């Protein structure tokens, strides 16, 4: 790698990192079989270490018809894209919206009296709390509410509630509130909503190691790093979950009315290829699981009861 990453090539990396608004400082090192760099992100100060192996360079070189300059450009852009994505995530999760979301709707400021009624029932001062609401398309007239203290609206500071027909159900990590709601209202599961319902149930029904997080989009692959309790921990994509990502698959079982969903599951410090069955009444069973990785350096930790 020392022959490949000569002074001119290294300078290209330096110039790209120096001009990036997501980087405050950096350092690079060349070894026999790799080229690595340590980047301090701006403005939050976390560190990200990247490593480019010789075989990765060879792959880029082949993709660019043996054009070294084009291959180096591709490698630079790939690292800048990772840095940019990581740097965007702290703002997203340190303030708003809450961690859970669906594929069809976004969190919105409250537009009715639901949150006011909830805060009143909880005996909380409305001017001290942030509030968001999210419609759940797989239910009839059910809204997911999230509240957090204005003084500390972090990713794990939200408390979640379901609002339905004047009643509120606190989501505390147990399946019981969701089961009770399923007995009260009808589920409207269609192929486009089965994955959202699985994500919802898995997020809010926790096991011993927390939530079962269904990874539905590639950008969610950095969640374990973002939620790491070690503020100064270095972020490693090559030891994260990006390489294991696959798009979820939803299959409708015509005779039974059930849905089968295959998806990547992040649970604690492990990753699974999970196969789930969803009954029309909302009951979820895991049919099969395959361990893909364990002992990840950044375990997913979701607190539902701050």
């Amino acid at each position: 790698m020392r022959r490949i990453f000569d002074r001119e090539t290294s300078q290209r990396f330096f110039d790209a990192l120096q001009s990036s608004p997501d980087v405050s400082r950096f350092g690079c090192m060349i070894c026999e079989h790799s080229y690595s760099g340590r980047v301090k992100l701006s403005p939050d100060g976390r560190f990200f270490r990247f490593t480019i192996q010789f075989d990765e360079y060879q792959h880029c070189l082949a993709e660019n018809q043996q054009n070294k300059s084009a291959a180096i450009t591709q490698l630079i852009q790939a690292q800048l894209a990772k840095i940019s994505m990581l740097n965007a995530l702290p703002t997203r999760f340190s303030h708003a919206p809450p961690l859970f979301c669906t594929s069809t709707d976004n969190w919105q400021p409250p537009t009715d009296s639901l949150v006011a009624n909830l805060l009143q029932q909880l005996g909380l001062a409305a001017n001290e709390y942030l509030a968001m609401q999210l419609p759940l398309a797989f239910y009839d007239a059910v809204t997911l509410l999230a509240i957090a203290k204005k003084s500390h609206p972090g990713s794990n500071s939200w408390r979640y509630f379901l609002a339905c027909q004047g009643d509120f159900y606190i989501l505390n990590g147990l399946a019981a509130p969701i089961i009770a709601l399923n007995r009260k209202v009808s589920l409207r599961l269609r192929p486009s909503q089965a994955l959202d319902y699985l994500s919802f149930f898995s997020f809010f029904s926790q096991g011993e190691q927390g939530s079962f997080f269904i990874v539905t989009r590639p950008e969610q692959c950095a969640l374990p790093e973002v939620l790491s309790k070690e503020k100064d921990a270095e972020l490693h994509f090559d030891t994260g979950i990006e390489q294991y990502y696959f798009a979820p698959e939803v299959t409708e079982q015509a005779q039974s009315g059930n849905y089968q969903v295959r998806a990547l599951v992040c649970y604690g410090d492990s990753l699974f290829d999970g196969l789930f069955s969803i009954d029309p009444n909302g009951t979820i069973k895991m049919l099969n699981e395959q361990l893909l990785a364990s002992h990840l350096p950044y375990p997913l930790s979701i607190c539902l009861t701050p």
Side-chain angles (χ1 to χ4, degrees):
M1 292 295 279
R2 290 188 176 92
R3 177 177 57 84
I4 298 167
F5 283 87
D6 52 23
R7 179 178 297 180
E8 179 183 352
T9 302
S10 295
Q11 190 62 49
R12 290 180 60 186
F13 261 89
F14 296 164
D15 292 344
L17 292 171
Q18 194 166 15
S19 62
S20 171
D22 300 312
V23 175
S24 63
R25 72 170 186 263
F26 61 89
C28 297
M29 181 175 64
I30 305 173
C31 299
E32 183 178 355
H33 300 291
S34 66
Y35 181 84
S36 61
R38 190 170 186 261
V39 175
K40 185 176 183 181
L41 301 180
S42 173
D44 71 327
R46 293 180 306 154
F47 285 96
F48 166 58
R49 184 184 296 276
F50 68 84
T51 300
I52 300 171
Q53 303 291 346
F54 178 67
D55 56 355
E56 185 179 355
Y57 167 75
Q58 286 185 310
H59 179 73
C60 288
L61 195 62
E63 285 188 340
N64 291 276
Q65 290 77 48
Q66 304 302 310
N67 185 321
K68 177 183 176 181
S69 179
I72 295 298
T73 298
Q74 182 176 331
L75 291 171
I76 292 174
Q77 293 305 315
Q79 297 306 324
L80 290 178
K82 290 180 178 181
I83 292 169
S84 178
M85 186 177 80
L86 278 173
N87 208 41
L89 288 169
T91 300
R92 175 182 172 192
F93 291 111
S94 296
H95 302 287
L99 285 173
F100 174 78
C101 62
T102 67
S103 63
T104 55
D105 295 287
N106 295 318
W107 287 95
Q108 301 291 338
T111 56
D112 51 35
S113 59
L114 279 179
V115 172
N117 291 338
L118 172 63
L119 293 174
Q120 184 178 15
Q121 289 193 26
L122 295 175
L124 301 176
N127 62 347
E128 296 180 2
Y129 282 82
L130 294 172
M132 308 286 284
Q133 66 182 42
L134 178 71
L136 299 177
F138 43 81
Y139 281 123
D140 284 321
V142 174
T143 302
L144 179 63
L145 304 176
I147 62 172
K149 283 190 174 182
K150 291 182 178 179
S151 58
H152 187 58
S155 59
N156 269 340
S157 300
W158 297 91
R159 297 173 64 187
Y160 299 88
F161 302 83
L162 293 170
C164 175
Q165 301 176 11
D167 295 326
F168 297 103
Y169 300 78
I170 182 171
L171 294 169
N172 55 6
L174 303 177
I178 301 176
I179 294 173
L181 181 67
N182 288 349
R183 292 176 180 151
K184 183 175 182 178
V185 297
S186 299
L187 273 172
R188 299 186 299 183
L189 289 183
R190 294 189 288 271
S192 60
Q193 297 166 340
L195 179 62
D196 278 343
Y197 177 74
L198 173 63
S199 300
F200 164 77
F201 193 97
S202 301
F203 186 94
F204 291 108
S205 301
Q206 296 188 321
E208 292 182 358
Q209 298 183 50
S211 296
F212 297 84
F213 192 91
I214 308 298
V215 184
T216 59
R217 299 184 302 278
E219 60 266 26
Q220 292 174 310
C221 289
L223 274 174
E225 286 91 343
V226 173
L227 294 180
S228 171
K229 295 180 181 180
E230 302 176 41
K231 292 183 179 180
D232 298 327
E234 291 188 0
L235 310 179
H236 296 262
F237 270 84
D238 55 344
T239 54
I241 66 179
E242 184 183 51
Q243 60 183 310
Y244 299 98
Y245 175 77
F246 61 87
E249 302 170 4
V250 181
T251 306
E252 186 174 6
Q253 309 294 303
Q255 293 183 346
S256 63
N258 292 4
Y259 289 94
Q260 283 193 4
V261 180
R262 177 177 175 247
L264 180 64
V265 184
C266 185
Y267 179 60
D269 64 352
S270 300
L271 291 176
F272 296 88
D273 180 342
L275 180 64
F276 301 85
S277 173
I278 307 175
D279 295 344
N281 64 2
T283 301
I284 293 179
K285 299 177 182 177
M286 179 175 279
L287 303 178
N288 190 32
E289 62 180 74
Q290 179 184 355
L291 180 64
L292 301 178
S294 60
H295 305 296
L296 295 177
Y298 302 97
L300 182 65
S301 175
I302 296 173
C303 179
L304 297 179
T305 55

